[in-house]
Amino acid sequence: MARIRAMLKTTAVRLSLLYLLLFVVSATALLFYISAQSERAIRGQTERAIEREVRAINSTYRRSGVNGLVRQIERRSRQPGSNLYIIASPNGEIFAGNVAEIQPGIFDQNGDINEPFKYKRFGDFDAEYTALAHVMELPNGFKLLVGRDLAEPDRFNNLIERALMSALAIMGLGALAIWFFVGRSALKRIDRMSAASEKIMGGDLSQRLPVMGSGDEFDRMSTSLNTMLGRIEQLNEGLRQVSDNIAHDLKTPLTRLRNRAESTLASKATAKDYRAALEDMISESDQLIRIFSALLMISRVEAGSAAAKLSDLDLSAVALDAAELYEPVAEDADVKLITDIDKDIKINGNRELIGQTLTNLIDNAIKYSSGDVKSRDDANIWVRLKSEDDKIVLSVSDNGPGIPKDKYDEVTKRFVRLDKSRNKPGTGLGLSLVDAVIRMHGGELELSTTDDQKEDLPGLTVSLKFPAKA
């Protein structure tokens, strides 16, 4: 009983029960309708058969008179069948025919008798039968009754009613069984989902709601929730990694700040020494500010607060401005900056974010192209902007050492740096910001090698693929 009460609390079972009740009501109404229609059709068939007999007997009476009519009635009465024939005297005494006794008052009527009446047959006085008939009065005052027994139509009606009742019972039992099994199946699925939910609420975010593969509403809901759980798990893992990396990246500059201040205070420093110490502390503070600024920018972009500022943007102009801005920087680093930018390419975007993203990529390309390999005279950077099918591709390429292909997914995470010692300048947030910005614009970030033929200097190409403006 507890199981049944639990089933009745589920929406699916309640809907199934409602459909079952509607089905039973509809089927019952259909049963009565079909039964009534069949009875009406059989009654009409019987009445038409009586009319045909009446016309035939009238024809005989007009041709042969009363004597011929009596002979015809006697002959038809001896034939097997369900027809009734009676010639009765004016006072209702049966003169000829195949009926032994008839319900009183029948011969008091003329014309069609639409209500069934009772009669008895010869040789079977213990049983009563029902019939319909037509009564007419002859010129000599005698009564002529032509009728038809209703036993066969009644049996046919009863047969139809029993068949319909049996079909209704079978369908009702089948519907009840289907309702029960559907409800139990739905309850089992809900129990499995509840069990998985309890584990998830207990902290196991690796759990997923069961998907049966049927494509029903339970599967669609489970798929959506599993996607959400996967995203939550990914964010939690990212938060854990970010927390670890923040602790490491902030600990180092904060420790240097404290040590620098402590050593300066402990020594017999001059005003010049104090000034140098303050400048170092300002430099370390600026690095901390850059880290927090980058984190705030990424959070703002991922939260979508900058999405409302999207507008028509000349991406060609943004790319040219960024390349022009960094051309002197590239020359100072002995790096050749090459541009291949198509004109008048426009998108729906945020100029500030895309500009910052592009300058970050160019700055990184200059840093890694010139700083990792000594005595280079062929360090190059390419800034390209092309329209490809339904995509706008903005890319920055270099011919430096690049990034191992198995690290492509990892480097877009926050605070991930290939320099595990953290000795090189940087925050490990550059590509995280790039990835957040391109996703906010509905595009995708793609990393690839610039030249696979050069194993020592394969380079890195960062491609930003924006959706083409409609």
Side-chain angles (χ1 to χ4, degrees):
M1 290 300 296
R3 188 75 173 173
I4 294 177
R5 284 196 296 269
M7 287 174 54
L8 291 175
K9 291 180 180 179
T10 62
T11 302
V13 173
R14 289 178 178 177
L15 287 175
S16 300
L17 184 59
L18 177 61
Y19 294 151
L20 174 61
L21 293 176
L22 290 175
F23 166 77
V24 170
V25 171
S26 301
T28 303
L30 182 63
L31 169 66
F32 283 107
Y33 174 77
I34 293 176
S35 178
Q37 289 297 317
S38 62
E39 183 177 357
R40 187 177 293 111
I42 293 172
R43 177 70 63 87
Q45 185 178 3
T46 301
E47 292 174 350
R48 287 192 294 273
I50 293 173
E51 290 176 1
R52 287 195 299 270
E53 286 294 314
V54 169
R55 285 197 298 270
I57 289 174
N58 274 333
S59 176
T60 300
Y61 176 72
R62 285 193 298 270
R63 289 196 312 269
S64 305
V66 174
N67 293 331
L69 177 62
V70 172
R71 289 194 299 271
Q72 179 73 0
I73 293 298
E74 291 292 341
R75 186 170 61 253
R76 287 178 177 264
S77 298
R78 290 191 293 269
Q79 294 176 354
S82 57
N83 289 332
L84 278 65
Y85 304 99
I86 300 175
I87 296 179
S89 63
N91 59 5
E93 182 181 355
I94 296 177
F95 179 73
N98 58 357
V99 175
E101 186 178 328
I102 195 169
Q103 179 179 318
I106 295 300
F107 288 114
D108 295 337
Q109 307 176 47
N110 281 320
D112 292 330
I113 302 175
N114 295 321
E115 293 296 327
F117 61 89
K118 295 180 180 180
Y119 75 97
K120 292 184 179 180
R121 298 176 181 175
F122 288 109
D124 191 7
F125 289 97
D126 294 332
E128 287 188 340
Y129 300 89
T130 57
L132 293 176
H134 179 88
V135 178
M136 56 184 176
E137 185 175 353
L138 301 177
N140 58 4
F142 277 70
K143 299 284 187 174
L144 172 63
L145 181 146
V146 179
R148 193 171 182 87
D149 185 79
L150 295 179
E152 184 177 348
D154 287 344
R155 283 195 299 272
F156 186 72
N157 282 332
N158 292 334
L159 178 63
I160 291 177
E161 289 179 1
R162 286 196 299 271
L164 290 174
M165 289 294 291
S166 299
L168 177 61
I170 292 172
M171 289 188 293
L173 289 175
L176 185 62
I178 292 172
W179 168 76
F180 179 77
F181 287 113
V182 166
R184 193 170 71 166
S185 175
L187 190 60
K188 283 183 178 179
R189 295 184 67 178
I190 292 173
D191 287 343
R192 287 195 291 268
M193 293 174 70
S194 298
S197 299
E198 289 176 0
K199 293 179 180 179
I200 292 168
M201 288 188 293
D204 185 5
L205 293 180
S206 63
Q207 288 289 328
R208 294 294 181 268
L209 300 179
V211 178
M212 307 302 294
S214 60
D216 59 7
E217 60 275 10
F218 286 107
D219 273 4
R220 293 196 297 272
M221 181 177 67
S222 295
T223 300
S224 299
L225 291 176
N226 286 341
T227 302
M228 181 184 69
L229 288 171
R231 179 60 176 161
I232 292 173
E233 184 181 17
Q234 180 184 2
L235 291 174
N236 280 347
E237 178 63 21
L239 180 60
R240 186 187 64 80
Q241 293 178 358
V242 166
S243 299
D244 292 343
N245 290 324
I246 285 178
H248 189 283
D249 280 27
L250 294 185
K251 181 181 178 181
T252 301
L254 287 173
T255 301
R256 283 200 295 262
L257 275 173
R258 184 186 183 284
N259 291 342
R260 181 61 168 155
E262 185 179 21
S263 62
T264 303
L265 289 174
S267 65
K268 295 179 180 180
T270 63
K272 184 177 181 181
D273 294 330
Y274 282 124
R275 182 177 183 84
L278 289 173
E279 288 177 351
D280 288 343
M281 293 173 69
I282 290 173
S283 177
E284 293 292 346
S285 300
D286 288 342
Q287 174 67 5
L288 290 173
I289 292 172
R290 282 194 293 272
I291 291 174
F292 282 113
S293 296
L295 283 173
L296 288 172
M297 178 62 73
I298 293 173
S299 298
R300 185 164 64 95
V301 172
E302 288 183 342
S305 61
K309 299 180 181 179
L310 299 183
S311 59
D312 289 342
L313 177 64
D314 188 342
L315 191 57
S316 300
V318 174
L320 287 171
D321 289 345
E324 183 179 349
L325 176 65
Y326 271 86
E327 193 169 0
V329 180
E331 289 180 1
D332 291 342
D334 294 327
V335 176
K336 185 176 182 182
L337 181 59
I338 304 169
T339 59
D340 183 11
I341 299 172
D342 289 350
K343 295 182 179 181
D344 297 326
I345 293 183
K346 297 183 179 181
I347 63 169
N348 191 39
N350 185 295
R351 183 182 184 91
E352 175 190 355
L353 295 179
I354 294 177
Q356 183 174 348
T357 297
L358 186 55
T359 55
N360 284 350
L361 291 176
I362 297 175
D363 184 70
N364 282 343
I366 293 173
K367 180 170 60 178
Y368 289 104
S369 293
S370 62
D372 281 20
V373 181
K374 304 299 182 183
S375 304
R376 288 193 64 183
D377 57 2
D378 62 343
N380 295 324
I381 294 174
W382 294 267
V383 178
R384 299 184 178 93
L385 178 62
K386 299 291 180 183
S387 177
E388 299 178 0
D389 299 329
D390 59 342
K391 298 287 185 182
I392 303 297
V393 181
L394 174 61
S395 63
V396 177
S397 307
D398 63 61
N399 59 352
I403 297 175
K405 292 183 179 180
D406 59 348
K407 302 291 185 181
Y408 282 171
D409 291 335
E410 186 178 351
V411 295
T412 58
K413 298 176 181 178
R414 298 181 190 180
F415 291 109
V416 172
R417 296 171 63 183
L418 298 181
D419 174 25
K420 298 298 183 182
S421 64
R422 302 294 209 260
N423 291 326
K424 294 182 180 179
T427 62
L429 296 171
L431 286 177
S432 296
L433 177 60
V434 172
D435 185 49
V437 170
I438 190 63
R439 282 190 287 108
M440 188 199 80
H441 285 81
E444 56 183 317
L445 172 66
E446 183 180 283
L447 304 181
S448 60
T449 56
T450 303
D451 189 351
D452 288 327
Q453 302 301 319
K454 297 181 179 180
E455 296 183 1
D456 56 337
L457 295 172
L460 176 68
T461 296
V462 181
S463 299
L464 308 179
K465 296 184 177 182
F466 296 91
K469 187 176 180 182

